[in-house]
Amino acid sequence: MTVIYNDTCPICSREVNSYARAAERRGRDIVFAGLSECDLAHFGLTEDMAARRFHVVKHGELVSGIPAFALLWDDLPHLRWLAQLVRLPGIRTAIAALYDHVAAPALYALHRRRQR
């Protein structure tokens, strides 16, 4: 599994670094690749695409948004419950809408501001 995230975003980096520490403690084989250090084209992404959303590549499939978080959480035993929670029908719709229409755009706007 490869996690592709915006390592120039302080909020994103803090969260993903906590996942990376948990994965290392648990011996999980997860690669954490920040957009500033990653060959994004290898995954079919541009820097702008990678900055807009959280991505995970698992078994060759690129997944983004809440489904990507859920794939990562599945591999971290202490967060598996969260992966199951965000897959429940009503919650899945609500949390995806919040991520897609509030969190991701807000984080991307902050990214754009930092880039200027």
Side-chain angles (χ1 to χ4, degrees):
M1 175 184 301
T2 300
V3 173
I4 303 165
Y5 69 101
N6 186 349
D7 59 339
T8 67
C9 167
I11 297 167
C12 308
S13 288
R14 185 178 176 110
E15 181 175 357
V16 172
N17 287 339
S18 73
Y19 298 146
R21 286 189 304 274
E24 185 177 342
R25 280 193 310 271
R26 289 165 175 82
R28 299 296 186 197
D29 187 23
I30 302 172
V31 174
F32 292 88
L35 67 87
S36 69
E37 62 192 33
C38 180
D39 178 11
L40 298 170
H42 175 76
F43 300 105
L45 294 169
T46 64
E47 185 174 332
D48 189 64
M49 291 165 66
R52 287 179 182 269
R53 299 175 63 80
F54 181 79
H55 297 84
V56 167
V57 178
K58 188 167 183 179
H59 304 301
E61 181 183 357
L62 178 67
V63 179
S64 70
I66 294 300
F69 280 102
L71 282 176
L72 174 60
W73 295 335
D74 274 336
D75 271 14
L76 300 173
H78 71 292
L79 293 174
R80 199 165 287 141
W81 67 271
L82 191 53
Q84 293 169 348
L85 180 69
V86 300
R87 288 185 177 119
L88 293 174
I91 293 173
R92 176 180 49 223
T93 303
I95 200 74
L98 283 171
Y99 179 81
D100 293 343
H101 301 291
V102 179
L107 291 169
Y108 180 68
L110 291 172
H111 170 76
R112 298 282 295 161
R113 185 175 297 154
R114 281 190 309 277
Q115 298 303 307
R116 285 190 215 127

